[in-house]
Amino acid sequence: VSVNLAVALAKLGARVGILDADITGPNVPIMMGVADYEPQAKDSRIIPAENHGVKCISMAFFVPKDTPLIWRGPMLDKGIKQFLRDVEWGELDYLIVDMPPGTGDAQLTMANSTSLSGGVIVTTPQDVALLDGMRGLTMFQKMEVPILGFVENMSYFQPAGSSEQYEIFGRGGGRKLAEESEVPFLGELPLDPAVRMGGDNGVPIVAADPNSPVTLAFMEIAKKVAAQVSIHNHAALAAV
């Protein structure tokens, strides 16, 4: 979702970067089609990879592909801060930070190291996933990070050429959780094998198939995210 949201924002004309904050399980470069990128330095700053109109940095660029990173919290903290401080991002409208699952070191480091415009919580419809989404919401609230909204991924499966929709994991849980929490619901994303194939091939669905139902859903979500960022930024300026 982070990758396709970043590409969707870029297609809307924004200057976008994506920071892979999953330090011990970095996979954004594969999905962005830049897995073989070798980082260069300019004036002691790291030049990020770029593809599909999005700049990208990840720990995957700095370690062999088959080498696990077995790092404790302080090392994770240092790695994320370096990506924020020492990468030549240039002028960006949005920096999407792809977080690892949970409510751990990466989330704490981001909240403490920079002023976040907001968090997007991605969930699937089943109750177990919604419980994790609620934990993420509570974490952001405690750290005083604005909640831009919920995205419900894998809401339903619709076979090609059919009007039938199969709710494999249930449906509507993300919308219900957003309504109960009084935060925006940003949209539903259907379950589509093309999303997985795009991620594996390094061509996200938003770039590969501009007219697919999933791409159209991502574009609508990107517009709503941009609108929420503007709303929260305006409110923050008004409060100063």
Side-chain angles (χ1 to χ4, degrees):
V1 171
S2 299
V3 165
N4 278 288
L5 176 59
V7 176
L9 287 167
K11 288 185 69 172
L12 291 172
R15 297 166 296 183
V16 184
I18 184 166
L19 189 161
D20 188 355
D22 193 348
I23 300 295
T24 59
N27 50 30
V28 167
I30 293 174
M31 297 182 179
M32 285 293 298
V34 292
D36 296 326
Y37 179 72
E38 296 182 1
Q40 306 294 319
K42 181 180 179 183
D43 299 329
S44 300
R45 294 176 66 80
I46 304 165
I47 305 300
E50 187 167 355
N51 201 14
H52 310 300
V54 177
K55 295 179 180 179
C56 172
I57 198 69
S58 171
M59 187 56 71
F61 297 144
F62 301 94
V63 295
K65 294 179 182 178
D66 58 349
T67 301
L69 273 180
I70 308 172
W71 281 6
R72 293 186 183 273
M75 291 295 288
L76 295 172
D77 180 83
K78 183 178 179 181
I80 292 172
K81 286 180 178 177
Q82 188 168 11
F83 285 161
L84 287 170
R85 182 183 63 240
D86 296 339
V87 173
E88 187 55 63
W89 291 110
E91 292 292 328
L92 294 180
D93 297 304
Y94 303 97
L95 178 62
I96 305 294
V97 182
D98 181 53
M99 297 286 194
T103 54
D105 291 315
Q107 286 82 354
L108 290 171
T109 295
M110 285 303 306
N112 292 330
S113 300
T114 187
S115 178
L116 297 173
S117 297
V120 175
I121 300 172
V122 181
T123 186
T124 48
Q126 65 268 43
D127 289 344
V128 172
L130 293 172
L131 184 60
D132 288 340
M134 193 66 207
R135 291 191 183 107
L137 173 69
T138 303
M139 174 197 67
F140 281 132
Q141 289 173 333
K142 286 185 176 180
M143 295 190 296
E144 299 183 350
V145 175
I147 311 298
L148 302 180
F150 276 86
V151 172
E152 183 176 288
N153 197 13
M154 306 181 191
S155 291
Y156 59 90
F157 172 68
Q158 184 170 337
S162 171
S163 60
E164 291 288 331
Q165 294 184 350
Y166 299 90
E167 297 171 2
I168 296 173
F169 299 111
R171 188 174 181 180
R175 183 187 296 276
K176 181 181 177 183
L177 187 56
E179 290 173 351
E180 290 176 351
S181 306
E182 298 182 343
V183 298
F185 181 67
L186 301 172
E188 294 179 330
L189 293 167
L191 184 64
D192 189 330
V195 177
R196 190 272 306 163
M197 289 186 285
D200 288 346
N201 296 333
V203 186
I205 185 70
V206 171
D209 189 353
N211 297 314
S212 78
V214 190
T215 295
L216 297 178
F218 267 118
M219 296 303 293
E220 287 304 311
I221 290 170
K223 292 174 185 176
K224 290 179 181 178
V225 167
Q228 286 300 315
V229 169
S230 296
I231 290 169
H232 284 287
N233 285 348
H234 180 75
L237 287 172
V240 173

